[in-house]
Amino acid sequence: MSNNNDKPLLRVQGLKKYFPVGGGFLRQARSFIHAVDDLEFDIPMGGSLGLVGESGCGKTTTGKLLVRLHEPTDGQIFIQNEQGELEDIAHRKGESMKTFRRRVQMIFQDPYESLNPRRTIYDTVAEPLVVQGIGTIVEREERVAALLERVGLTPATSFMFRFPHELSGGQRQRVAIARALIIDPVFIAADEPTSMLDVSIRTGVMNLMMELAGEMGVSYLYITHDLAVARYMCERIAVMYLGKMVERASTEELLANPLHPYTRALISAVPVPDPRISRQAIDIKGGVSAPIDPPPICRFFARCPLGDDFCENNPHPPMEDKGGGHYVACYKV
Amino acid sequence: MAEATPILSVQDLVMHYTTRKGDVSAVDGVSFDLENGKSLGLVGESGCGKTSIAFSLMKLLPDNAKIKGGSIYVGGTDILQLSHDELLKFRWQRIAMVFQAAMNALNPVYTVGDQIIEALDLHWGDLSREQSRERIGQLFEMVGLDPKLMDRYPHEFSGGMRQRAVIAMALSCNPDIIIADEPTTALDVIVQDRILRELKKIQEKLGMSMIYISHDIAVIAEVSDRIGVMYAGRMAELADGVDIFEHPLHPYTYALMRAFPSIKGEKHELVTLPGEPPDLLFPPPGCRFHPRCPRATDVCKQEQPPFADNGRGHFVACWHPMEANHE
Amino acid sequence: MNMTVQTSSVDTAPPLWQMRLKLALKNFKSGWAIFKENPIGIIGLVLIVFFALLAALHPILMATAWEPAVYDPITGYDFEILIHPSPPTWIPQPDNPMWEFSFRHVLGTDPLGRDVLSQLMFSTRSEFLLGVGAALVTVLIATTIGAVAAYYGGLVDMIFMRIADVVYMLPFIALLIVLSSLFDFELIHLALVYGVLAGFGGTTIVIKSQALTIKVKAYIEAARIAGGNDLHIIFTHLVPNLLPLSFLYMMFTVTGAIFSEAVLSFFGLLDIRMSWGLMIQTAQAAGYLLNSWKYWYLMFPSGVAITLLCAAFYLVGRALDEVVNPRLRKR
Ligand SMILES: Nc1ncnc2c1ncn2[C@@H]1O[C@H](COP(=O)(O)OP(=O)(O)OP(=O)(O)O)[C@@H](O)[C@H]1O
Ligand SMILES: Nc1ncnc2c1ncn2[C@@H]1O[C@H](COP(=O)(O)OP(=O)(O)OP(=O)(O)O)[C@@H](O)[C@H]1O
Ligand code: SF4
Ligand SMILES: [Mg+2]
Ligand SMILES: [Mg+2]
């Protein structure tokens, strides 16, 4: 791995993804969902970033862009290659895409849909090795067995040839983690990997992910709608609202000192698992919709308690550093 | 605790589902009381029998479910003894339910208002259309929806609005008790927060009693006066909200609370329980928690611990409860 | 975390193929457990086995009990009976002084003096070959095209689906009649044509819609992230998940193929020497169907056989449906 620690592992610039609405074959779409609009962030080597926000704000789309399941509408995604240089993979195709595929992986939300029901656990975990042509059959088997044991599926031999339906949700998610780690990636996008698991199982999977990422030096983007989970999983947190990033800071800073009015409302609404702590909810009006052809002003304006004429007549505010790497996109803070 | 007769009293409820593989012991000897005007939160992991309890209380059971024992007293009548006709009257007027994932259950081809009118007609019979619409207007306002929206179709509603409409429907017959099964699970936090606050407000205003069901201990902590922690078809612990957080007695409750991350307070280590909840087709003997319990001994493996009051209405089913340092 | 990292015990594990075999067996068993609870499926299966036995028995009988000169399904002739067609020999014939009780012709003889039972049994094999052959072609086409169209979408999908729509709307039998009058139609051709038509039409549409639901599953995306190319994804992820449904439609294709053979033969449009449809056609051509009550043995055996075998595959299909689609299970 590279020793180039001053460079970020991953750098995103002006990342955009617009989905056409209502168009069809041979028919131009007239509107676009601005699912991800002009994102900018870095993830350092071995670091972790939490991406939080409400349903439909573009978290999954961002994750899929980073692993290139989607091709960006615009913008750059730089990732360090084996030589430690930043390479733009935003529009990469073909063979060079395949080598990139060894460096990034993804873990999905639904453990019941992310494993092929007709393939054994071994088939699933070994798949990246097989399609990349890494190792002999014996070597693959050994590697898979060792990793299965590492993710807590012991003894590996009793799990390797089971089918997904014979596993519980937590075990499946461990399999998904093993599949993501089998080719030693440098970056993993984890899309709500624990949101469908029960509490008593969830912590095990969360701890495992953190341990393994630390051990193997993997950086990750942790997508979640749950701020409390992000607090435990990530060094830094970024908050998204309707395709835009509105605030980004180190985890404790963001939770203790949220600046953006949306982040404040979001944090104030999180229920606290302790009846002795009372919280004061900050109310914001309205609800989220889809960002279909949004006006060029601040995305949050319609619901913002601070918004005024200036916000209404200026473009979406840029992300600004308010000190110590605490970035906010708001004219009023 | 006040010595008033509870509005709802459940004793030793046992409920099974028959399946091709055998009987699923979904509710096994659950007892609890609900006092008039208070709220009870049932919390537990997926499949521990929360919805099954709710269905039993409503006596709205799927075909393969059977109540094997126990009693459910609502204001003094054992509803398990009621005839079919008596039940029809009793249901919705005394006890109503907001179903899990109910917001997906609205019929897409009727307006939301019409669907509530249908529910009203069923129970009030001879309301004129104007009267019905007026009533729905009131209900809509109560749950924070614009009455003008009653002529819209469900697909025009957002998730949060649909959930409100479903709550309005449950309120339509002025029930004494409302059971809300995961009322906010599919919703975003901001919407969830708003709906929970509205539910609390309505409850206070109408003096209703509530049963909240959720897997989210934080939601339950916020809205419930009393909290019941369920595990594998049984009630592990039942106590006043603050009590259960200050002095959890059951090892499962203790672990559950330390497994739950919070954005407030110290960032403590999240504990992990080994293993997984049992398959209720083959529940373990003795205490159902024993295979995962750090305090388990031989007696736990063989005998079911009694669900006993440890003082101050703090019930727990455990042979080796955590130290209670009640002053 | 209570996790112990042991060294893997792979070396002591049984070889891969053994594990896979065991799994396949286990899957089969659990499927069978569901299948056998459904009387419909069992009836179908018993019927299919019965017909298979009939087919298998024919060459044996020909080699042993049945004298070829008399019993050959195509060239045989029984000189000992004066009037053909002759009803089953075990039924008393009051107006025939020559009659004596025997099992010489259990189902009687046809207008050309051939043994009906022998014809029936002889044809069974080709009916099976026809049905299964057509079904294989269907499944091959429908699964591949369904998977490819769903996976690529866009133009590829549009072209295939328009073709499928057209084929779906074609009047099948009428088309087969036209084709068979233009070309020499043997059984194998019929199997092919029918298979292609059935495959391209309704079956493809059904399988494609299933493929669309599979295509959006996260494991497909995981495979792409792993670096898998289109071929890999189509053939290791899409197709295997379509096969149960394909297999189901195979059963329905068998039914259709056998039925259309009967129709074509009845119109004398097939270039084959013996089949169930042809048996009826022979009787019809000789004018015996006008008095069908008297000559029931010319039409009934093959008619019943066609109905039963078609029904058998259909019933098995229905029961398999329950195995394949858990939603349909009663509990
Ligand atoms: N393939 C697609 N085609 C069209 N629109 C899409 C597509 N994927 C996502 N969108 C739209 O883009 C927006 C962002 O979706 P995305 O799935 O990224 O949100 P999310 O933050 O992950 O939400 P959730 O918390 O519900 O998972 C939504 O409005 C969604 O409807
Ligand atoms: N109709 C049914 N037939 C058979 N078993 C059932 C049926 N409904 C529920 N079960 C089983 O009964 C047990 C309790 O289910 P229940 O729905 O009450 O759990 P729950 O606590 O509400 O879970 P969740 O949080 O997932 O809603 C589970 O093990 C479940 O699999
Ligand atoms: S009874 Fe025993 S096994 Fe059950 S919770 Fe108490 S200590 Fe643990
Ligand atoms: Mg998402
Ligand atoms: Mg439930």
Side-chain angles (χ1 to χ4, degrees):
Chain A
M1 219 129 287
S2 157
N3 49 8
N4 220 332
N5 278 332
D6 45 332
K7 265 190 222 160
L9 172 74
L10 187 101
R11 163 163 291 166
V12 166
Q13 279 175 352
L15 189 63
K16 287 185 186 145
K17 181 68 188 177
Y18 295 172
F19 292 108
V21 201
F25 181 69
L26 294 182
R27 197 149 47 85
Q28 275 292 312
R30 259 169 266 123
S31 317
F32 290 88
I33 294 185
H34 295 211
V36 164
D37 207 355
D38 215 1
L39 294 195
E40 208 141 320
F41 60 88
D42 288 354
I43 296 180
M45 201 87 196
S48 55
L49 177 70
L51 199 57
V52 301
E54 288 173 287
S55 182
C57 70
K59 307 183 293 294
T60 298
T61 308
T62 308
K64 288 187 177 173
L65 283 166
L66 295 191
V67 299
R68 278 297 315 277
L69 272 176
H70 288 317
E71 187 168 350
T73 308
D74 196 10
Q76 289 100 40
I77 303 168
F78 294 101
I79 185 158
Q80 272 189 33
N81 62 16
E82 319 242 329
Q83 288 74 44
E85 290 146 8
L86 286 178
E87 257 185 82
D88 181 10
I89 51 100
H91 302 282
R92 182 80 40 105
K93 288 204 170 62
E95 259 319 289
S96 59
M97 192 65 191
K98 201 160 171 179
T99 47
F100 160 74
R101 291 278 182 225
R102 292 188 186 195
R103 310 216 6 115
V104 305
Q105 284 294 310
M106 184 156 180
I107 300 172
F108 298 89
Q109 174 174 17
D110 187 347
Y112 290 84
E113 288 214 335
S114 68
L115 308 183
N116 186 336
R118 296 192 180 272
R119 309 199 85 207
T120 61
I121 301 310
Y122 168 78
D123 291 333
T124 294
V125 177
E127 181 170 40
L129 298 178
V130 173
V131 296
Q132 298 276 355
I134 299 171
T136 63
I137 292 182
V138 179
E139 282 165 9
R140 283 176 199 159
E141 242 180 86
E142 276 168 4
R143 235 166 122 170
V144 170
L147 194 53
L148 284 180
E149 304 247 339
R150 182 64 192 87
V151 298
L153 299 174
T154 48
T157 39
S158 89
F159 282 99
M160 259 162 92
F161 301 104
R162 288 207 214 162
F163 283 98
H165 71 86
E166 300 170 281
L167 267 52
S168 69
Q171 291 172 333
R172 285 162 184 244
Q173 217 49 317
R174 286 167 192 264
V175 172
I177 292 176
R179 168 178 56 195
L181 289 172
I182 193 90
I183 41 170
D184 292 323
V186 291
F187 173 74
I188 291 183
D191 188 5
E192 315 228 22
T194 57
S195 69
M196 295 183 74
L197 303 180
D198 269 314
V199 215
S200 76
I201 297 156
R202 188 169 81 183
T203 35
V205 175
M206 279 164 61
N207 288 341
L208 176 72
M209 254 203 75
M210 255 187 309
E211 272 170 37
L212 283 176
E215 251 168 54
M216 305 175 70
V218 182
S219 312
Y220 56 90
L221 178 80
Y222 198 93
I223 296 171
T224 174
H225 61 271
D226 189 338
L227 269 164
V229 168
R231 180 184 184 199
Y232 276 85
M233 294 301 297
C234 311
E235 294 154 1
R236 300 174 65 73
I237 293 181
V239 180
M240 281 185 79
Y241 183 80
L242 287 187
K244 291 278 191 187
M245 198 171 275
V246 295
E247 187 160 4
R248 190 170 81 243
S250 72
T251 301
E252 291 307 321
E253 162 74 10
L254 187 101
L255 292 177
N257 187 23
L259 296 177
H260 197 281
Y262 175 68
T263 316
R264 286 167 177 246
L266 194 64
I267 289 178
S268 80
V270 177
V272 183
D274 188 336
R276 291 162 296 178
I277 298 178
S278 68
R279 64 189 167 83
Q280 197 52 54
I282 301 171
D283 232 347
I284 51 173
K285 53 188 185 257
V288 281
S289 51
I292 300 175
D293 293 338
I297 60 167
C298 174
R299 285 281 152 94
F300 189 55
F301 178 74
R303 299 175 70 193
C304 185
L306 306 179
D308 61 11
D309 282 357
F310 186 78
C311 304
E312 197 171 5
N313 297 310
N314 279 285
H316 188 87
M319 286 286 261
E320 253 177 66
D321 193 346
K322 300 283 168 183
H326 190 151
Y327 288 84
V328 187
C330 178
Y331 291 122
K332 296 288 149 200
V333 296
Chain B
M1 284 203 300
E3 284 303 311
T5 39
I7 180 123
L8 173 73
S9 173
V10 177
Q11 299 301 327
D12 278 321
L13 184 66
V14 180
M15 194 263 246
H16 284 194
Y17 294 103
T18 323
T19 68
R20 65 160 70 229
K21 288 192 196 141
D23 269 18
V24 177
S25 163
V27 181
D28 191 58
V30 166
S31 307
F32 60 85
D33 286 352
L34 175 63
E35 274 170 60
N36 206 349
K38 290 284 164 85
S39 59
L40 170 78
L42 289 181
V43 63
E45 295 174 88
S46 180
C48 71
K50 305 181 297 291
T51 301
S52 304
I53 289 186
F55 280 150
S56 306
L57 297 183
M58 296 287 291
K59 235 172 151 220
L60 265 180
L61 297 169
D63 289 343
N64 63 336
K66 191 161 171 26
I67 294 181
K68 296 252 173 164
S71 55
I72 301 171
Y73 284 93
V74 176
T77 18
D78 186 351
I79 63 161
L80 297 184
Q81 311 300 335
L82 291 184
S83 71
H84 184 72
D85 289 344
E86 289 169 317
L87 251 179
L88 275 185
K89 252 198 256 153
F90 159 93
R91 206 186 281 150
W92 304 115
Q93 294 188 21
R94 303 288 320 256
I95 183 164
M97 181 164 172
V98 178
F99 293 96
Q100 188 167 3
M103 52 193 247
N104 300 326
L106 288 171
N107 191 335
V109 299
Y110 296 106
T111 65
V112 176
D114 282 348
Q115 295 186 50
I116 303 183
I117 289 183
E118 202 180 318
L120 278 175
D121 279 351
L122 219 63
H123 297 279
W124 298 93
D126 41 3
L127 282 187
S128 74
R129 197 166 166 85
E130 276 61 52
Q131 282 171 313
S132 301
R133 290 182 65 86
E134 199 185 308
R135 172 102 183 104
I136 294 170
Q138 290 166 1
L139 290 170
F140 264 44
E141 266 167 18
M142 216 182 286
V143 296
L145 281 176
D146 186 345
K148 276 181 250 148
L149 291 174
M150 77 172 88
D151 296 318
R152 299 279 185 88
Y153 289 88
H155 73 258
E156 298 174 84
F157 279 34
S158 71
M161 284 156 78
R162 264 181 271 171
Q163 191 64 47
R164 283 165 205 259
V166 171
I167 292 171
M169 214 187 267
L171 285 171
S172 64
C173 299
N174 262 332
D176 303 326
I177 306 169
I178 286 195
I179 307 172
D181 191 1
E182 308 270 6
T184 58
T185 295
L187 303 174
D188 282 319
V189 269
I190 293 181
V191 187
Q192 157 171 299
D193 186 47
R194 240 186 261 155
I195 288 187
L196 289 180
R197 271 188 285 144
E198 241 133 50
L199 269 174
K200 253 163 114 177
K201 241 191 327 199
I202 295 170
Q203 186 202 351
E204 272 161 30
K205 197 165 135 206
L206 303 182
M208 282 183 320
S209 315
M210 296 280 308
I211 296 181
Y212 288 97
I213 294 178
S214 177
H215 65 277
D216 188 335
I217 210 173
V219 166
I220 290 295
E222 294 220 331
V223 293
S224 317
D225 301 319
R226 253 171 107 68
I227 294 176
V229 179
M230 291 199 56
Y231 185 79
R234 293 195 185 141
M235 192 76 91
E237 189 165 2
L238 175 69
D240 288 346
V242 176
D243 229 19
I244 216 164
F245 276 88
E246 277 179 358
H247 319 285
L249 295 180
H250 199 285
Y252 176 65
T253 314
Y254 184 83
L256 200 60
M257 285 194 293
R258 265 145 202 81
F260 219 92
S262 168
I263 60 164
K264 292 267 164 63
E266 276 294 291
K267 185 169 152 183
H268 58 80
E269 186 89 6
L270 295 184
V271 302
T272 308
L273 275 173
E276 321 216 324
D279 183 350
L280 295 183
L281 269 172
F282 314 103
C287 171
R288 287 189 176 175
F289 186 55
H290 86 252
R292 306 174 74 189
C293 181
R295 299 169 79 91
T297 58
D298 281 346
V299 62
C300 309
K301 291 177 189 148
Q302 282 141 23
E303 278 175 60
Q304 180 180 345
F307 188 58
D309 191 345
N310 266 40
R312 311 204 316 180
H314 194 144
F315 290 82
V316 64
C318 175
W319 290 116
H320 313 293
M322 318 288 291
E323 272 66 55
N325 40 357
H326 286 306
E327 62 290 356
Chain C
M1 304 235 56
N2 64 332
M3 225 164 42
T4 45
V5 179
Q6 304 166 346
T7 47
S8 87
S9 36
V10 166
D11 13 282
T12 59
L16 256 168
W17 65 267
Q18 254 183 30
M19 303 283 271
R20 287 193 203 274
L21 195 71
K22 255 198 223 153
L23 280 170
L25 223 66
K26 206 168 116 194
N27 273 0
F28 178 78
K29 270 193 199 142
S30 65
W32 172 246
I34 298 165
F35 184 88
K36 75 173 184 215
E37 274 192 17
N38 192 338
I40 282 183
I42 295 297
I43 293 172
L45 205 59
V46 166
L47 281 174
I48 290 177
V49 170
F50 169 73
F51 279 107
L53 285 179
L54 274 192
L57 215 59
H58 187 259
I60 298 175
L61 282 174
M62 289 301 289
T64 54
W66 285 355
E67 195 188 318
V70 178
Y71 285 99
D72 187 286
I74 297 148
T75 58
Y77 191 88
D78 193 346
F79 288 101
E80 289 187 20
I81 288 176
L82 294 180
I83 315 155
H84 291 294
S86 135
T89 50
W90 47 272
I91 297 176
Q93 298 166 15
D95 48 350
N96 182 356
M98 306 273 292
W99 177 79
E100 59 190 56
F101 181 86
S102 78
F103 287 117
R104 193 175 167 86
H105 297 292
V106 178
L107 291 177
T109 59
D110 80 346
L112 304 180
R114 305 175 293 192
D115 183 71
V116 172
L117 179 62
S118 174
Q119 291 180 334
L120 191 79
M121 289 169 73
F122 173 80
S123 308
T124 309
R125 192 181 44 154
S126 26
E127 302 291 342
F128 263 106
L129 288 181
L130 165 74
V132 174
L136 279 178
V137 174
T138 299
V139 163
L140 209 71
I141 291 182
T143 310
T144 318
I145 293 183
V148 167
Y151 183 75
Y152 288 104
L155 189 63
V156 179
D157 178 36
M158 207 186 73
I159 293 171
F160 276 129
M161 285 306 116
R162 286 300 85 78
I163 297 178
D165 284 345
V166 170
V167 174
Y168 187 59
M169 312 244 275
L170 284 176
F172 243 50
I173 300 286
L175 183 79
L176 284 175
I177 290 174
V178 171
L179 281 177
S180 54
S181 57
L182 292 179
F183 307 98
D184 270 354
F185 239 47
E186 287 173 32
L187 219 50
I188 172 116
H189 300 136
L190 176 65
L192 254 159
V193 171
Y194 187 88
V196 170
L197 290 182
F200 244 118
T203 314
T204 303
I205 295 175
V206 173
I207 291 193
K208 192 201 107 178
S209 61
Q210 174 83 357
L212 279 178
T213 66
I214 296 169
K215 178 194 166 187
V216 296
K217 294 270 156 82
Y219 57 80
I220 302 278
E221 298 188 319
R224 197 167 319 141
I225 295 174
N229 57 20
D230 296 352
L231 270 184
H232 168 83
I233 292 173
I234 292 177
F235 286 102
T236 51
H237 291 287
L238 263 180
V239 169
N241 280 292
L242 292 172
L243 280 183
L245 192 70
S246 308
F247 192 59
L248 180 69
Y249 274 83
M250 211 170 128
M251 296 298 146
F252 299 139
T253 314
V254 172
T255 300
I258 292 174
F259 182 72
S260 59
E261 181 276 330
V263 174
L264 292 186
S265 297
F266 181 77
F267 290 117
L269 291 167
L270 284 187
D271 189 12
I272 48 177
R273 301 174 64 202
M274 184 48 58
S275 78
W276 292 346
L278 210 58
M279 288 165 71
I280 300 179
Q281 199 259 339
T282 314
Q284 191 259 355
Y288 288 100
L289 286 195
L290 294 176
N291 198 351
S292 50
W293 282 119
K294 187 159 177 222
Y295 298 102
W296 60 272
Y297 50 90
L298 292 181
M299 188 187 66
F300 246 57
S302 49
V304 168
I306 290 168
T307 313
L308 284 184
L309 191 58
C310 284
F313 277 101
Y314 182 78
L315 293 179
V316 169
R318 275 267 88 95
L320 275 178
D321 212 0
E322 258 186 48
V323 179
V324 174
N325 296 329
R327 277 178 298 115
L328 297 178
R329 279 177 217 161
K330 282 178 209 88
R331 48 174 181 169

